[in-house]
Amino acid sequence: MTMLHNSLLQRWPQLKQDRRAVIAAWLLIALALALLPFVTDAALGRSWVRIVDFALLYILLALGLNIVVGYAGLLDLGYIAFYGVGAYLYALLASPHFGLHLPVWAILPLGALLAAIFGMLLGAPTLKLRGDYLAIVTLGFGEIIHIFLRNLDKPVNITNGPQGVNLIDPISIAGINLHQTQQFLGITFYKDYLYYYLFLTIALLIIFICIRLQDSRIGRAWVAIREDEVAAAAMGINTRNIKLLAFGMGATFGGISGGLFAGYQGYISPESFILNESIIVVCMIVLGGMGNLFGVILGAILLTTLPEALRYLGELQQWLFGRIVLDPADYRMLLYGLALVLMMLLRPAGILPSVRRKRELQPTPVVAEHEKDTVYDSTR
Amino acid sequence: MNEFYQHLINGLVLGSIYALIALGYTMVYGIMQLINFAHGEVTMMGAMICLTVLNAMLGSSGMPHYLILLLGMGTAVIFCMALGFTIERVAYRPLRNAPRLAPLITAIGMSIVLQNIAMLMWGKRPLNFPDIIPIARFEILGAHITNVQIVIIVSAVVLMLGLWLLINRTRLGRAMRATSQSPALASLMGINPNTIISVTFMIGGGLAAVAGVMVNAYYGPAHYTMGFMLGLKAFTAAVLGGIGNVAGAMFGGILLGLIESLGAGYIHKLTFGFMGSDYQDVFAFMVLILILVFRPSGLFGERVGDRA
Amino acid sequence: MNINKLRLVRPIAIFALFSLVFFTGCTKQPADDGVIRIGSVAPLTGSQSHYGKDNDNGARLAIEELNAKGVTIGGKPVKFELVSEDDQADPKTATIVAQKLVDKQVKGVIGHLNSGTTIPASKIYYDAGIVQISPSATAIAYTKQGFKSAFRVMTNDSQQGRVLGEFAVKKLGAKSVAIIDDRTAYGQGIADEVEKAVVASGGAVVSRQYTTDSSSDFTAILTSIKSTSPDVVFYGGMDPQGAPLVKQMRNLGLAATYLGGDGLNTLDYLRLAGKDGEGTVASMPGLPIDQMPGGKNFQEKFNARYGPIQVYAPYAYDAVMVMVDAMMRANSADPAMYLPEVAKTQYQGVTGNIAFDEKGDVKAAAITLYQAKGDKWEVLEVINE
């Protein structure tokens, strides 16, 4: 195994020239992703498939926030509001609450659109503010949305208030109800598998959009604004519109993720859309690496599985000492906070840094001549 | 009419507390253009430390209550000054030349860390302020006011006046003003900007500690999450008055306190029954957004550059 | 662009390969060995862990007693095993641990503690056909979903709110009542029911105010309430806000009787409210422990094993007993077989006589009203629904 691995490594430079090897590698990845729910279920149990599903939802969220924070450099602390807007729209249009049962393909785009509108509404008046003002205004915006979700049950009952919306329709696509176990070709697909494939498809689609965006005119405009807004404006970039676009685009992904969450969970209440969740998503992208897609994905996976890993730590203590000495749930937020501080101090660009971002977040602005070349090379 | 006076008094008390905390935000912002997110948590720490001292002293020593109270307050102030100093050293100073996003993120991180440290140290249950202040209730124009409320308003005014004198009438104050205008030029004049920044964080921490003790003594139990919202509202007050402007922060605090109290009291009538006191917390945020959008320099601020 | 993409392919491919090898290398634990597993879910870590452990211990005590006594189902002697899970009082985590219990093939679930976790999890149990009996979720919505598998042995918010509202008007003689809630599912649920009951009993709700579960300043809403001079102020919420609220009430010179639900009926409330809390009236679902049919006995057993009872341990204990009782009557531990028997339950438990209505709510519900006197809650009246 190791020998094979080593020889593969050594031969990689030639292999990657070879189209067949590249195709084989991609096929391997595709196979792994396709088999993941089966393998996870067999190895760890179906609850882990559910955790993987939630991780995918958080990846969507993190990718959306990454556009705002990572690409455009605007710190948004109320991002979970868009997630909430998407979730509530799905819940209201597909539940007994209003007696509406619209299909998912109608609601998700609507949710995305509504979230985008909210994003622009928030962005339009505030984007001229300097970075830290923007952070606190978005925080306030997130709180306002939360307060409205919690209180709009009177005088007309819109959100059903603190009780939340219940019995939300499961997502069904092309007549297939994802909440029911399905049989294809003699293989049993449980509901968590079916949701996995749906979430994965959407996540891949969004990753694809992000990759394309990164290198597009818009993506480069975002980076330019982040690095020097005046210079960017001087280059003829309409900074206001481009920033608005970042806000709208980020909000869209949040809205989609929220809709999926509502359909998957079947029950939502305002307590799922609190400031803490916004901060956790910020943690994901800071930890993983702002501006780097794969860093952000890594961050999302790490932070969704960490609480589960901590849970085993609790069980381990129970087993070792007969009681829980250090309550892992108590240390989770402390760890997140420490991670934010330490990452910024020691490795500001994240675990998997984006090359450009890494250079930017170094305290010394001077870049050596030879480094410059590599930087420009790799961002092309 | 009594109801109106009562709302006015409530607003003044709340506003005095906001103002004390807002001073910390505004001074730091004035000098470093940084929102010190962890400032609300310093307030919470002040309340917690004072409580710890009070509870320890009350059981063991036979000292008179007012002395114990002063001692508790003093310990809290000194601790929070040290805390402010440490936060700046650990979380902000190494990032002085980094892009703006970096210190902002460490600030949020510090806030979470302090909250959770407090939770681990003092537990998750709220902690009561011991019954050592005999409460006297007075009636003015049909509205009720207690001695604690009077003390809060008076000491807030005294502290704010003291700070104003410090900034405008002393050598240190002049150095602070110089640093806030241009740290580089100030250092040419023989001022060490690092020292001034540290001093600013310490003064802000001390004032926050006093505010924290006041909240605990008047509004009720101290809790590890009490600082965040308080800090956010105080920040709003600082923005309202014009961030970086010390007199503005005092005024902004009191104004915000009044807006919240009167707003929660009368919103039901103002919106014809559509909204109730459930929207009380919206006011601060609405004020924040409106001010930032229409008059980012605040009601009393000078025009500041708003480049990102 | 292409070069950049290719750089990513290699690490991902290697990672994918390794994870495939890793996962297929692991094996699942064997599931069936003749032991009947019953799940118990509650927040075992985090800020509500003291309640969560209380529930878990109550259920555990029942399982231990059953195993010691020896139970025969379907002609075979069986052993029970309690599978504890921690939902951290978080709705999302609740669905994950619910799935975990389904994976472990439990025959029934005792839980969850909070309504916010019980409701989303109930769908997963319902889909899997597993019986769920909550010892402590009180939200009306839980049994309103129409899930045949969902039961509770605790009175719901509607029953408690009705008793409180009627008590305010009929026993406290209140003509006007002011109602505050904290905009949580619990606070709003109970406050709405109190409002209905007050009006139905001929009282008037003169002011309806709101706060949040993280507020500390209530002076504004109390000033508004004071201008309507109510006889009773009801607060739907928990003690961290309920206690300072009564202090600020007295500081404003508002002398109305202070009434609350089980959120205020805690020792912490007495500690936090101090002198101002004196005379507060608060309800608690169920009978006082020393008036429960088996209360004394249960208390002694529980104290010896786990220490003092928090609140809901007797209910978790009864929930297990009800479930096993149904299994014995059905002569099967298969949820599909014993589920109809749970609905037909007539069980004399520690907390009283347990029978369910068609929704799965407990039928005969007692609610006790207590009054704060010094440093303890004294029984004021027991009301049988």
Side-chain angles (χ1 to χ4, degrees), chain A residues 75 128-130 132-133 136-137 139-140 151 154-155 229 275 279 330 333 337-338 341 344-345 357 361, chain B residues 29 33 35 100-102 104 106 112-113 116 124 228 232 235 243 274 278-279 292-293 305-308:
Chain A
L75 186 57
K128 62 175 184 189
L129 300 172
R130 47 194 310 160
D132 31 14
Y133 275 174
I136 212 144
V137 168
L139 196 160
N151 292 322
K154 60 197 156 35
E229 196 174 334
L275 177 67
I279 289 181
D330 287 356
M333 280 316 284
L338 277 177
V341 176
M344 277 298 119
L345 293 178
R357 202 65 183 166
L361 286 163
Chain B
Y29 198 93
Q33 282 77 50
I35 298 176
R100 304 189 68 87
L101 206 54
L104 205 55
T106 52
I112 300 173
V113 168
N116 283 277
K124 293 163 209 147
F228 195 82
L232 217 54
F235 174 78
I243 198 147
F274 181 75
D278 37 352
Y279 291 93
L292 283 179
V293 171
D306 44 20
R307 219 193 73 65

Side-chain angles (χ1 to χ4, degrees), chain A residues 193-226:
Chain A
Y193 295 18
L194 295 169
Y195 278 104
Y196 167 82
Y197 291 116
L198 173 68
F199 295 174
L200 181 71
T201 313
I202 294 177
L204 288 177
L205 193 72
I206 285 181
I207 292 172
F208 178 73
I209 294 175
C210 286
I211 291 177
R212 301 300 297 162
L213 268 177
Q214 227 171 14
D215 301 304
S216 71
R217 244 186 113 77
I218 298 169
R220 279 176 288 145
W222 282 333
V223 175
I225 288 175
R226 182 184 75 206

Side-chain angles (χ1 to χ4, degrees), chain A residues 38 180-184 187-191 193-194 197:
Chain A
F38 292 94
Q180 280 160 7
T181 307
Q182 305 284 347
Q183 301 273 350
F184 291 116
I187 307 169
T188 313
F189 290 86
Y190 297 101
K191 72 163 201 244
Y193 295 18
L194 295 169
Y197 291 116

